[in-house]
Amino acid sequence: FRGVQQNSQTAGYTAVLTDRGKHILMTTAGTYTIPANASVAFDIGDVLTFINGTTSCTIPITSDTMTLAGSATTGTRTLAANGIATAIKTGTTTWIISGTGLT
């Protein structure tokens, strides 16, 4: 399969291993969580893409570190309506995230 498969979700979703390499379409404003390595051990290099098809959503990470690309800013991000963001796992407990409409 050469496309990026879709996982359409509503508010309050936490990513699972089967989401790697897919895009998570957010159809309801809410929180879309990247879980801690201790609970879901994504492999280094795994990619999660978030597409916001609603008003505004947040993308937090549970206890691990997520850094906004091009900065030293860490923690929860906000994804604007029609925004797209990609998070890549770069270490056992570290992710980097970038995208359009991401703050």
Side-chain angles (χ1 to χ4, degrees):
F1 187 79
R2 292 184 186 257
V4 180
Q5 293 179 333
Q6 183 179 88
N7 178 359
S8 182
Q9 290 293 328
T10 58
Y13 182 72
T14 299
V16 295
L17 283 177
T18 55
D19 288 324
R20 59 184 163 195
K22 294 181 181 178
H23 76 273
I24 299 167
L25 177 64
M26 304 167 180
T27 60
T28 306
T31 301
Y32 297 83
T33 304
I34 298 174
N37 186 72
S39 62
V40 179
F42 286 98
D43 292 328
I44 293 171
D46 280 350
V47 174
L48 299 172
T49 298
F50 300 90
I51 298 175
N52 185 2
T54 185
T55 54
S56 180
C57 295
T58 58
I59 305 169
I61 191 161
T62 308
S63 76
D64 294 346
T65 302
M66 180 171 62
T67 304
L68 180 62
S71 76
T73 306
T74 60
T76 299
R77 306 273 46 106
T78 299
L79 187 59
N82 299 311
I84 183 170
T86 300
I88 302 171
K89 189 168 184 181
T90 57
T92 304
T93 60
T94 57
W95 292 75
I96 190 164
I97 191 166
S98 67
T100 302
L102 186 69
T103 56

